Amino acid sequence: MIPPSAPPNPDLSLSETSLAVGASGKNPKVFVTEHSEFGHCTNQSYRCVSQHSYANPVKAKKIEEPPYYILITAYFSYLILLCFGYLRDFLGKYFAKRHFTHIMPLNGYAPLNSGFDSSISRLKARVGDCVAPPVTGVAGRTILMLDRYSNDNNWTQIYTGTKTRALNMSSYNYLGFSQTHGGCADAVEESINLYGVSTCGSRLAGGSSDLHTMAEALVAKFAGTEDALISSMGFATNSTFIPALVSKGCLVISDELNHASIRTGVRQSGAQVRMFKHNDVENLDSLLRDVISQGQPRTHRPWRKILVIAEGLYSMEGTLVNLPAIIELKKRYKFYLFVDEAHSIGALGPHGRGVCDYFNINPHDIDVLMGTFTKSFGAAGGYIAGPKSLIDSLRLRGQSGPYAESMTPPVLSQIMASMASIMGVVPPNSSHSASSELAAPSSSVIHPGAISPVALPSWLRLPPSLYDGSEGRTRLLRLAFNSRYLHAGLSKLGFVTYGHPFSPIVPLLIFNFGKMSTFVRMMRTRSTPVVVVVVTYPATPLLKCRARFCVSAAHTKEDIDIVLRACDEVGDVLDLKHSRGERWHVEEICRRSVELVEGVASTQCA
Amino acid sequence: PIPPPPNLKGRQRRGSIVKVEEVGGRTEELLDRNAYVNINANWVNAKGAWLIHVVLILLGKIVVDTVPGMTQQISWTLVNTIYLALSYLMFHWVTGMPFDSELHGGAYDDLTLWEQIDDGAQYTPARKWLFTAPILLFLISTHYTSYDPWPFAINLTALIVLAIIPKLPQLHRQRVRFLAEDIASGAQTPVTPN
């Protein structure tokens, strides 16, 4: 085990060649690698419980508008870009035909791109080295980037052959299960030896195995529902199973900012769609009254079904769904509710069971619970959990059943290992208090609780800290602390951030498209490089470009300090600090971190 | 009489001189339109979008007044007709969306801005304002032209043709076509009826 007395210097661990000597006989190279995938942190004060308090509710921050000169200069920069783009295209069509063949008719064929498209692609080429840097190795706490440079304005890139290890704030790795060493990785290797890499068929055509059945039962236990089904691709979980839920004559009411997979699924189904303003429950209320009273468009017949689709945690905004209010509406209007917990499962709640756990709501109150394994479990694919009758019907009617490949066994074992680590396994005949939960009759299953060893395959052996759930609990507590700390720290530095203060996604607003690439490059070329993701139009509104930090349980408090110091310096250079709240100095934030985090939870954030 | 074109002979039907045709009414287009929020059209409900009409008209009046030899009559008539012409161009001539048109699969390509407002719902506050603003401007301009017959005729015709008729709910998503050929090439996929 890693000795608690001498945690390695975080900067030291970021270099491949350094060797931190541990007191145990463990190979120091492995120790350093593990720390580069998952940060070691023993300070018990850096822990928080992720739970919604009804007495003292914490709401998402109000959207702060920047000063007018920022908006005007941002519009102006877009205008300059478009004007120059159109001018270049216009002149290029006559004077440099060789380079502009994509916007001219050629050999009797129509042009490949329209004028507007080619301006956008030129815009993207300017920031081409920031949007998709090639990386290698596992995307854990740190990530290894392949260095490259360009001589022709990012049209081509040349690799130098060297690699840089950078602090990784860009991967969805909420609980830090993205590791190449550890219990989950060993379980995956064992499963490949036993099951191979594929069951070679779709689920309904011979590709089901006992591993699938066990994994689905485990997912159902995790989500707190009767049954669950697993799909091999997260996007496809929505796009193939929503058409099995609704069809022509039904109505889907979805949030304005729902993911493309939900929109694809709804469009495929042929159901009518209406949208309500993001997280606005009054708007949803008045929309429901409108649609229920009017009925179907021309015939005014009542709708066959009304399904409201919301996400648990929105990945661009970092906002949480207002689930208690929507459940109240559900009791009044009696619609069906579908919650897409792609980002919130495993990341929210004191037991990591998602938004239901966070708000302390019975999962049986929600009709369809959907989630993905990509973010918190270090796996791939998605699941749908719900009543057994619903899941039985979806297995047959969903398009994945007969046509899509079944989930591959190594990924299934990764899912089972990570879920078991979060839930904890109770050994049989133990006097542990958890065993009394298991003695309850199956009709009143205690949720959330630990699982019995029979829920896992016999060959799946986890190390003790993962097996009893203590490591899983620690990861949840660390993630909650890290997210609150980064959010509160950036606010106190003066940046405009969106979203809920407890969400593990922290968007930092940059507003001006021109500053985005500079932000990324400045963060990447620091002494401790930091890799961030920047998002712009069309994923966000035109003026709301943002850098999106994805906090992980693998990060330590010192890593978040590095990020805060980096943002402080870069924000001063780029003039990004437009928040009107109170400001602290970055060293004071690092010193008073615990106090800051407790202040987030106790006061109502307006 | 003009002989019918060859591709109509088989159908035994005459080509019409004037035809009113509905656009964009297919179910697939309706569903495609609702896939994402229409940012091209929902600015009319934003803060300041109503006031901007008044501001632009006042600015236009000031600019027109600077022309030497301008009387009040001509000035108000000009402002009225220019406002009606520009708003017709913006709301009733140009179709489609400049941004995000691929997200909607081309379902907005045949719709004018007026038809896109509020997802096609009629009698909404934004439509009522956009209907009222040209009428108010017309009343002001007739007051200042002292009901002279010629300016009155010009203003009234412009109002009715450019502002009233296109905004009527009965003409929602209808197009008036003159001597339209009912061309159906054999390669076109047959459309399923609603």
Side-chain angles (χ1 to χ4, degrees), chain A residues 219 381 463 526 529:
Chain A
V219 171
R526 295 176 62 83

Side-chain angles (χ1 to χ4, degrees), chain B residues 122-155:
Chain B
Q122 299 297 325
Y123 310 111
T124 67
R127 286 183 196 253
K128 285 179 187 164
W129 166 252
L130 289 169
F131 196 84
T132 313
I135 297 175
L136 289 176
L137 182 59
F138 169 75
L139 291 174
I140 294 173
S141 64
T142 53
H143 172 261
Y144 279 105
T145 60
S146 312
Y147 300 94
D148 258 351
W150 278 108
F152 182 81
I154 294 171
N155 285 335

Side-chain angles (χ1 to χ4, degrees), chain A residues 273-274 290 297-298, chain B residues 22-25 29-30 33-34 38 41-42 44-45 107-108 111-127 167-174:
Chain A
V273 192
R274 294 293 294 268
D290 185 29
R298 290 193 191 110
Chain B
E22 197 205 20
V23 289
E29 285 173 339
L30 188 65
R33 268 180 243 145
N34 287 332
N38 185 350
N42 63 3
V44 297
N45 287 319
Y108 280 115
L111 297 189
T112 61
L113 181 54
W114 177 257
E115 287 156 355
Q116 293 176 24
I117 292 173
D118 291 327
D119 293 327
Q122 299 297 325
Y123 310 111
T124 67
R127 286 183 196 253
K167 294 186 166 66
L168 292 175
Q170 287 72 21
L171 288 181
H172 181 68
R173 278 195 283 112
Q174 309 288 342

